[in-house]
């Protein structure tokens, strides 16, 4: 659970292209309507299954913000809110039973909210920024993802960014590709493509308690 109020801001520089990102903890009052709308989008509802009535969604969001073993964020891309990101403790989650868990692993769930940003170019930029943020914020050695096997956009992007599919697993709510992204392979991919990161502002309190 996050208690911090500050945000992390950085730029991702690819040649002459500069993309600015901000990640901040979810604010219940500020973000409720936007997240409710996102969860009812056709590209999100089948995977997250949170297209609930508002009263039930309010309860879910409140529990998510207050949860002890995960942190929840909103990410903005050049000033526009575009993504919802969950960092969670693998050692406190059933996912650790599906692979060879190692100390330093951090779990990740993600979604890109506006459908117009879920394309190969913007999707790559946004998901890359999420991973950059998580490695910086938590000091994790590896990031673990388990997207639905039907997700034909997110899985190729994670692989392009240095993630490796190590298994296909049957979770209670979905069939998933279990993906592991190590810090070194991800950093090597950034260097390979000439990508630079410039941190402008960082959250005051690190979230390393999740790893």
């Amino acid at each position: 659970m996050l208690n911090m109020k500050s945000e992390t801001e950085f730029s991702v520089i690819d040649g002459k292209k500069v993309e600015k990102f901000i990640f901040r903890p979810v604010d219940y009052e500020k973000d409720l309507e936007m997240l409710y709308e996102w969860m009812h989008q056709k590209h999100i509802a089948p995977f997250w299954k949170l297209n609930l009535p508002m009263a039930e969604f309010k309860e879910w969001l409140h529990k998510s913000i207050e949860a002890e073993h995960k942190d929840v964020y909103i990410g903005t891309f050049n000033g526009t809110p575009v993504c919802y990101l969950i960092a969670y403790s693998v050692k406190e989650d059933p996912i650790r039973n599906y692979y060879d868990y190692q100390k330093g692993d951090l779990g990740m769930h993600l979604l890109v909210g506006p459908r117009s940003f879920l394309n190969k170019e913007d999707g790559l930029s946004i998901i890359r920024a999420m991973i950059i943020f998580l490695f910086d914020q938590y000091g994790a050695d590896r990031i673990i993802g388990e997207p639905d096997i039907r997700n034909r956009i997110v899985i190729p992007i994670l692989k392009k960014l240095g993630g490796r599919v190590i298994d296909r697993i049957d979770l209670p709510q979905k069939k998933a590709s279990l993906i592991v992204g190590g810090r070194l392979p991800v950093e090597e991919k950034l260097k390979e493509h000439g990508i630079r990161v410039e941190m402008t502002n960082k959250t005051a309190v690190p979230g390393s308690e999740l790893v």
Side-chain angles (χ1 to χ4, degrees):
M1 178 176 66
L2 290 167
N3 295 313
M4 56 192 169
K5 298 298 183 183
S6 56
E7 55 193 27
T8 293
E9 181 176 359
F10 58 92
S11 297
V12 177
I13 303 164
D14 182 1
K16 294 183 178 180
K17 183 170 68 174
V18 179
E19 299 173 332
K20 296 185 180 296
F21 295 90
I22 295 174
F23 287 89
R24 59 167 177 79
V26 169
D27 182 308
Y28 180 86
E29 298 296 336
K30 180 178 180 180
D31 300 320
L32 173 63
E33 293 287 346
M34 178 180 69
L35 286 170
Y36 178 77
E37 180 183 341
W38 285 359
M39 292 300 182
H40 284 74
Q41 297 295 311
K42 292 180 179 179
H43 69 286
I44 294 172
F47 298 109
W48 285 72
K49 300 179 177 64
L50 286 168
N51 49 334
L52 306 169
M54 178 58 88
E56 294 178 39
F57 185 76
K58 284 181 176 180
E59 182 179 357
W60 172 83
L61 183 59
H62 179 73
K63 288 180 178 179
S64 294
I65 293 171
E66 295 298 319
E68 291 292 336
H69 302 301
K70 67 179 179 180
D71 297 334
V72 290
Y73 299 94
I74 294 294
T76 66
F77 177 27
N78 293 332
T80 301
V82 293
C83 62
Y84 176 67
L85 174 63
I86 299 174
Y88 69 91
S89 172
V90 174
K91 62 185 176 183
E92 302 292 342
D93 191 272
I95 194 65
R96 69 172 295 168
N97 299 319
Y98 289 84
Y99 79 108
D100 183 17
Y101 164 75
Q102 298 178 19
K103 185 178 180 181
D105 287 353
L106 177 71
M108 171 184 72
H109 298 302
L110 64 89
L111 68 80
V112 176
R115 182 65 182 85
S116 59
F117 284 91
L118 194 59
N119 56 69
K120 290 182 179 180
E121 184 174 346
D122 292 331
L124 174 65
S125 294
I126 293 166
I127 294 173
R128 179 173 59 204
M130 293 189 216
I131 292 171
I132 289 169
F133 167 70
L134 291 179
F135 276 126
D136 180 77
Q137 176 71 12
Y138 293 90
D141 296 322
R142 304 193 302 178
I143 294 175
I144 311 302
E146 10 96 6
D148 192 296
I149 60 172
R150 297 170 296 170
N151 200 319
R152 298 180 181 178
I153 296 180
V154 170
I155 292 173
I157 288 175
L158 290 173
K159 291 167 68 175
K160 188 172 183 178
L161 293 172
R164 183 168 55 91
V165 177
I166 62 172
D167 202 359
R168 282 194 170 189
I169 57 177
D170 290 321
L171 297 175
Q173 71 278 19
K174 65 182 177 182
K175 293 183 183 294
S177 291
L178 185 60
I179 300 178
V180 174
R183 178 187 291 271
L184 183 57
V186 170
E187 290 177 348
E188 288 177 346
K189 283 290 183 181
L190 293 176
K191 291 179 182 178
E192 178 183 329
H193 294 285
I195 305 294
R196 294 189 297 114
V197 179
E198 290 186 359
M199 287 288 174
T200 307
N201 184 57
K202 295 180 66 172
T203 49
V205 181
S208 58
E209 68 276 1
L210 293 187
V211 298

